[in-house]
């Protein structure tokens, strides 16, 4: 018997609602299934098309014989470079050329590839590969091997583009049965070239790069320099004949770089087409004036302003980006150094070891060897200066610039020192403030350059500013304040304003005596300077004791051979101005005293006994009685320096002996005839 049916827990209305919900959910599920089925049909259709494409027969037709492009039609010069590289290729099977961007490496390499000897050595043609070494995406091993094989094989025979092992094996097997030249253009370094090395002896490898590096079995890379002036002018006229008589000046503005020359000539060719002679002259003149002030923005192809092969600025950006960060900063910090500099100077101004700053720049040819030093290429320097000016100023960099400028100053390279002092001053004023002691130092140093070159009008206000800062910040009795007082006094002295110079010299002397001591060399400098002012105004009595004190200090502290001591010996000619001696007589006595003092110092400094005898024979005035007074003065000045006094005394006694016995007899008796 079936159990009785239990009543439904829901009422009729509730049950109907539930059934409707279930039906709606079922309908939604069916719709999703339909969409999935439709998607599957599309997938099946796509797979079918792919299969059909895979199954389709690939071309078995080999590509035409490979050929390296010819150089541009306006290629000029480079005969010696072509001959050198062609000889290397035919002799060793490898050659490399390196140099700055835009210098013409690619065009030169193409010219070498078309040299008759090279074509005879590699009759199966050549393949050019742009390795894109200066970009952020240089070619990989698979990409360069595939590029070569595409020139040698039918598409059906190419190994998979991702299988480096198969690509390498096929690469070597194909080249082994050919006499082929590979032109690896724009290589980053030796590591990138590794897949192309070890070629069969029947094949050759020609490399171009902005960087110098070595490759096993390859001679040293050939450095490509800028064009000669004649070649540069020829290039300009070949592209734009209208340039004509303006070629020499324009070539110099383009610093004889092929890229800049070609860009300028191409632009002028368009602008001067069908124009009158007067209009052509005006256009070229205006263009040249623009290049003198803003070269980089103009040296580009208007149709491709950002292309590295059509823009000097874009090519520079690539070179800069390829540098490690320390070398980038080194490049910018060298930009203000306009004159030649040494490797040590690079380290001095950049604060970097040679392998971090100097060598990366040298390997990328951003530094040019000039004489015994290096310079930045004009375009490189202009680019680096613009980037440097956009950076936040660095006071430590100002200190290093100042240090290098001081070295240049002491070597009398004032033109090299001045821009460095100026930039250091600008940085210090901006970062440290107008009243900082370091700012005063920069003002003083820049003034010294102006003074050394005779520009006293420019030096004076700088010295005055330095003095005001030091008095205000360091104090009236600080040694640096004394230095500023002294320097300003010297400017007044040089311009004949002795009345202004005298109190400044007096203040400087008082500070130095009080702070540094009565026998300090700086005190001697102030004594000497104050004496010079008195002498210039005719007060010889006041000048004499000051000169004597200065000479005594320098003789004791520096010795008789020091330049300051020797200068003081000459200045002490005022001693000859005895009471009652007139100015004209004193001037004559001064000259005689200075001459004898200088001869005695030179005689003391002769290096050998034979040289000493020869000097004395050539200067008989030393044997005259007038030299006794000079010896007495020198001995008095050297009284606190035993060694100096002994040397002077020995030479005085030697003079007296030679007077009575003769030079030959005395030298033979004391030292023999030899050295």
């Amino acid at each position: 018997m079936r159990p009785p049916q239990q009543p439904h827990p829901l009422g009729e209305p509730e049950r109907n609602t539930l059934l409707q919900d279930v039906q709606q959910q079922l309908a939604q599920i069916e719709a999703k299934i339909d969409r999935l089925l439709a998607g599957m049909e599309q997938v099946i259709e796509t797979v079918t098309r792919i299969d059909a494409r895979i199954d389709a027969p690939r071309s078995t037709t080999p590509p035409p014989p490979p050929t390296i492009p010819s150089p541009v039609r306006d290629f000029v010069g480079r005969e010696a470079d072509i001959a050198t590289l062609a000889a290397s290729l035919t002799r060793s099977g490898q050659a490399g050329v390196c140099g700055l961007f835009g210098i013409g490496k690619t065009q030169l390499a193409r010219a070498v590839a078309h040299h008759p000897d090279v074509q005879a050595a590699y009759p199966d043609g050549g393949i050019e590969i742009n390795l894109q070494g200066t970009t952020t995406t240089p070619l990989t091993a698979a990409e360069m091997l595939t590029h070569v094989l595409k020139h040698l094989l039918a598409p059906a025979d190419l190994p998979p583009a991702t299988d480096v092992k198969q690509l390498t094996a096929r690469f070597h097997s194909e080249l082994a049965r050919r006499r082929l030249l590979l032109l690896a253009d724009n290589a980053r370094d030796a590591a990138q070239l590794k897949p192309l090395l070890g070629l069969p002896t029947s094949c050759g490898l020609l490399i171009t790069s902005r960087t110098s590096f070595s490759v096993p079995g390859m001679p040293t890379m050939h450095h490509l320099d800028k064009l000669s002036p004649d070649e540069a002018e020829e290039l300009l006229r070949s592209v734009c004949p209208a340039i004509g008589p303006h070629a020499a000046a324009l070539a110099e503005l383009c610093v004889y770089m092929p890229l800049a020359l070609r860009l300028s000539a191409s632009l002028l060719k368009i602008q001067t087409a069908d124009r009158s002679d007067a209009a052509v002259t005006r256009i070229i003149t205006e263009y040249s004036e623009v290049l003198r002030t803003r070269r980089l923005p103009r040296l580009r192809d208007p149709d491709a302003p950002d292309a590295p092969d059509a823009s000097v600025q874009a090519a520079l950006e690539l070179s800069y980006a390829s540098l490690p960060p320390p070398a980038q900063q080194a490049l910018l910090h060298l930009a203000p150094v306009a004159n030649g500099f040494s490797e040590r100077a690079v380290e001095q101004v950049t604060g970097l070891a040679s392998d971090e700053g100097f060598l990366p720049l040298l390997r990328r040819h951003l530094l040019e060897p000039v004489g015994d030093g290096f310079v930045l290429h004009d375009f490189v320097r202009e680019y680096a200066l613009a980037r440097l000016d956009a950076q936040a100023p660095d006071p430590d960099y100002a200190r290093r610039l100042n240090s290098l400028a001081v070295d240049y100053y002491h070597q009398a390279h004032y033109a090299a020192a001045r821009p460095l002092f100026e930039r250091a001053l600008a940085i210090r004023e901006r970062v440290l403030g107008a009243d900082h002691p370091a700012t005063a130092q920069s003002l003083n140093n820049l003034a010294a350059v102006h003074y050394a070159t005779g520009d006293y009008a420019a030096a004076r206000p700088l010295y005055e500013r330095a003095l005001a800062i030091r008095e205000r910040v360091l104090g009236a009795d600080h040694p640096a304040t004394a230095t500023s007082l002294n320097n300003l006094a010297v400017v007044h002295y040089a311009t004949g304003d002795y009345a202004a110079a005298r109190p400044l010299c007096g203040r400087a002397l008082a500070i130095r005596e009080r702070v540094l001591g009565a026998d300090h060399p700086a005190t001697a400098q102030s004594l000497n300077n104050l004496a010079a002012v008195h002498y210039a105004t005719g007060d010889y009595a006041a000048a004499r004791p000051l000169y004597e004190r200065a000479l005594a200090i320098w003789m004791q502290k520096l010795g008789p051979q020091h330049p300051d001591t020797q200068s003081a010996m000459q200045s002490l000619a005022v001693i000859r101005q005895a009471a009652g001696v007139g100015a004209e007589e004193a001037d004559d006595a001064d000259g005689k005293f200075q001459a004898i003092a200088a001869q005695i110092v030179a005689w003391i400094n002769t290096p050998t006994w034979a040289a000493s005898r020869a000097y004395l024979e050539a200067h008989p005035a030393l044997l005259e009685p007038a030299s006794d007074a000079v010896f007495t003065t020198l001995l008095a000045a050297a009284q606190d320096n035993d060694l100096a006094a002994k040397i002077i005394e020995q030479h005085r006694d030697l003079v007296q002996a030679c007077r009575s016995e003769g030079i030959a007899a005395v030298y033979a008796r004391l030292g023999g005839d030899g050295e």
Side-chain angles (χ1 to χ4, degrees):
M1 176 180 289
R2 202 169 68 185
Q5 186 176 3
Q6 297 294 322
H8 197 280
L10 297 177
E12 191 68 25
E14 291 84 355
R15 185 175 58 184
N16 292 338
T17 300
L18 181 61
L19 289 173
Q20 291 175 358
D21 291 341
V22 171
Q23 290 173 351
Q24 289 177 356
Q25 292 177 10
L26 289 173
Q28 292 173 357
I29 292 172
E30 290 176 356
K32 290 181 179 179
I33 292 173
D34 290 341
R35 287 197 296 273
L36 287 172
L37 291 174
M40 288 299 297
E41 291 175 356
Q42 293 178 357
V43 170
I44 293 171
E45 182 181 351
T46 300
V47 171
T48 302
R49 286 201 303 269
I50 292 174
D51 288 342
R53 224 171 24 242
I54 292 174
D55 293 338
R58 287 189 288 176
S59 172
T60 57
T61 304
T67 304
I68 292 174
S70 299
V72 291
R73 286 187 302 171
D74 49 52
F75 183 85
V76 299
R78 306 294 199 193
E79 288 84 2
D81 300 297
I82 293 172
T84 297
L85 291 167
S88 177
L89 267 179
T90 55
R91 183 175 57 250
S92 67
Q94 293 187 117
V97 57
C98 57
L100 188 66
F101 69 91
I103 209 70
K105 299 180 295 296
T106 300
Q107 300 305 324
L108 172 66
R110 290 174 175 175
V112 171
H114 287 268
H115 187 278
D117 293 347
V118 175
Q119 289 188 321
Y122 306 107
D124 291 333
I127 300 172
E128 179 178 314
I129 320 164
N130 183 358
L131 301 183
Q132 302 177 24
T134 56
T135 70
T136 56
T137 56
L139 258 60
T140 64
E143 289 170 334
M144 64 180 75
L145 294 172
T146 299
H147 178 90
V148 173
L149 291 174
K150 281 183 176 179
H151 286 80
L152 304 177
L153 301 175
D157 298 328
L158 286 173
T162 57
D163 192 332
V164 176
K165 187 175 182 179
Q166 284 193 50
L167 288 167
T168 302
R170 192 63 183 270
F171 171 80
H172 286 284
S173 66
E174 291 297 326
L175 265 61
R177 42 195 195 84
R178 290 178 170 85
R179 296 170 64 190
L180 191 72
L181 175 65
L182 297 184
L183 168 51
D185 188 34
N186 201 14
R188 176 180 289 268
D189 49 31
Q192 189 192 16
L193 283 168
K194 189 175 180 180
L196 301 180
L197 301 181
L199 298 180
T201 56
S202 60
C203 295
L205 178 63
L206 178 57
I207 303 164
T208 78
S209 178
R210 296 188 187 182
T211 305
S212 298
F213 52 81
S214 59
V215 171
M218 185 183 76
T220 302
M221 293 187 79
H222 179 72
H223 173 67
L224 185 62
D225 205 349
K226 54 193 174 187
L227 294 172
S228 70
D230 288 343
E231 291 171 338
E233 293 173 35
E234 181 184 352
L235 173 55
L236 287 171
R237 286 190 289 263
S238 67
V239 177
C240 178
I243 290 175
H246 307 279
L250 190 56
E252 184 177 2
L253 285 172
C254 293
V255 293
Y256 311 109
M257 175 187 278
L259 174 59
L261 292 163
R262 192 167 285 110
L263 289 170
S264 294
S266 299
L267 180 63
L268 290 173
K269 181 179 181 180
I270 297 171
Q271 294 180 344
T272 59
D274 301 323
R275 305 297 296 269
S276 66
D277 292 344
V280 167
T281 299
R282 177 181 55 78
I283 291 169
I284 296 176
T285 301
E286 290 176 353
Y287 180 79
S288 299
E289 287 301 319
V290 171
L291 286 189
R292 286 187 177 91
T293 55
R294 297 179 68 252
R295 281 186 293 191
L296 294 185
R298 293 303 301 266
L299 291 173
R300 61 180 185 176
D301 184 344
D303 296 328
D306 298 323
D309 58 350
S311 165
V312 173
Q313 178 89 22
L316 275 164
E317 292 285 358
L318 283 179
S319 288
Y320 181 77
S322 72
L323 291 169
Q328 289 180 343
Q329 200 62 28
L331 176 64
L332 304 192
H333 283 177
L334 283 170
V337 187
N339 294 61
F341 44 80
S342 64
E343 181 176 351
R344 178 186 172 278
V346 175
E347 296 181 8
Q348 185 176 355
V349 79
T350 63
L352 296 170
S354 180
D355 59 346
E356 290 184 291
F358 173 75
L359 290 178
L361 299 178
L362 186 64
R363 281 195 292 263
R364 289 166 176 80
H365 303 280
L366 298 172
L367 299 181
E368 290 185 291
V370 175
D372 295 332
F374 303 87
V375 296
L376 289 178
H377 187 281
D378 284 5
F379 290 150
V380 175
R381 182 170 179 269
E382 186 176 331
Y383 170 83
L385 275 175
R387 292 194 73 110
L388 178 64
D389 290 338
Q391 284 189 343
D394 176 10
D396 190 57
Y397 172 50
R399 177 189 59 77
R400 297 195 301 270
L401 274 180
N402 184 78
S403 175
L404 179 60
V406 167
D407 287 351
Y408 285 149
Y409 174 83
H410 288 307
Q411 297 164 14
H413 296 162
Y414 304 124
R418 177 177 171 177
L420 306 188
F421 280 140
E422 288 174 337
R423 184 168 286 268
L425 172 60
I427 293 172
R428 285 171 165 174
E429 284 184 312
R430 181 176 172 185
V431 177
L432 303 177
D435 280 348
H436 196 278
T439 302
Q441 181 196 47
S442 285
L443 287 164
N444 181 83
N445 293 347
L446 181 56
V449 170
H450 287 302
Y451 177 83
T453 56
D455 192 353
Y456 306 128
R460 177 178 170 178
L462 297 171
Y463 276 140
E464 288 173 339
R465 282 187 60 195
L467 173 59
I469 295 170
R470 286 170 168 172
E471 285 184 313
R472 185 165 54 251
V473 178
L474 302 177
D477 281 349
H478 196 279
T481 302
T483 298
S484 284
L485 287 164
N486 178 81
N487 293 345
L488 185 56
V490 169
V491 171
H492 287 303
Y493 178 88
T495 57
D497 191 353
Y498 307 124
R502 180 176 174 178
L504 296 172
C505 287
R507 283 185 60 194
L509 174 59
I511 294 170
R512 286 171 167 173
E513 284 184 314
R514 185 165 54 252
V515 178
L516 302 177
D519 59 351
H520 194 279
T523 302
Q525 181 194 52
S526 286
L527 287 164
N528 182 83
N529 292 352
L530 183 56
V533 173
H534 285 305
Y535 180 76
T537 57
D539 191 351
Y540 307 126
R544 176 179 174 177
L546 297 172
Y547 274 137
E548 289 175 340
R549 282 186 60 194
L551 177 58
I553 295 170
W554 277 329
M555 186 71 78
Q556 178 187 3
K557 299 293 184 180
L558 306 179
Q561 298 178 1
H562 193 277
D564 288 345
T565 306
Q566 295 180 18
S567 175
M569 290 177 184
Q570 297 175 0
S571 297
L572 204 55
V574 294
I575 291 176
R576 302 298 299 165
Q577 300 166 9
V581 178
E584 292 184 4
E585 294 175 280
D587 287 342
D588 183 56
D590 289 351
K592 291 180 179 178
F593 186 92
Q594 290 176 20
I596 294 173
Q599 290 175 13
I600 290 174
V601 172
W603 182 38
I604 290 173
N605 288 329
T606 52
T608 65
W609 188 245
S612 173
R613 172 181 171 175
Y615 189 90
L616 190 56
E617 289 175 337
H619 297 83
L622 293 178
L623 300 179
E624 296 176 1
S627 67
D628 292 343
V630 182
F631 275 112
T632 300
T633 300
L634 297 180
L635 280 169
Q639 60 183 346
D640 294 324
N641 189 318
D642 293 340
L643 177 61
K646 183 178 180 181
I647 293 173
I648 295 170
E649 193 173 54
Q650 288 173 343
H651 284 76
R652 181 202 62 187
D653 295 344
L654 186 58
V655 163
Q656 292 174 351
C658 288
R659 283 179 191 161
S660 59
E661 300 178 40
I663 295 175
V666 171
Y667 272 81
R669 173 170 58 83
L670 296 179
D673 293 328
E675 297 192 12

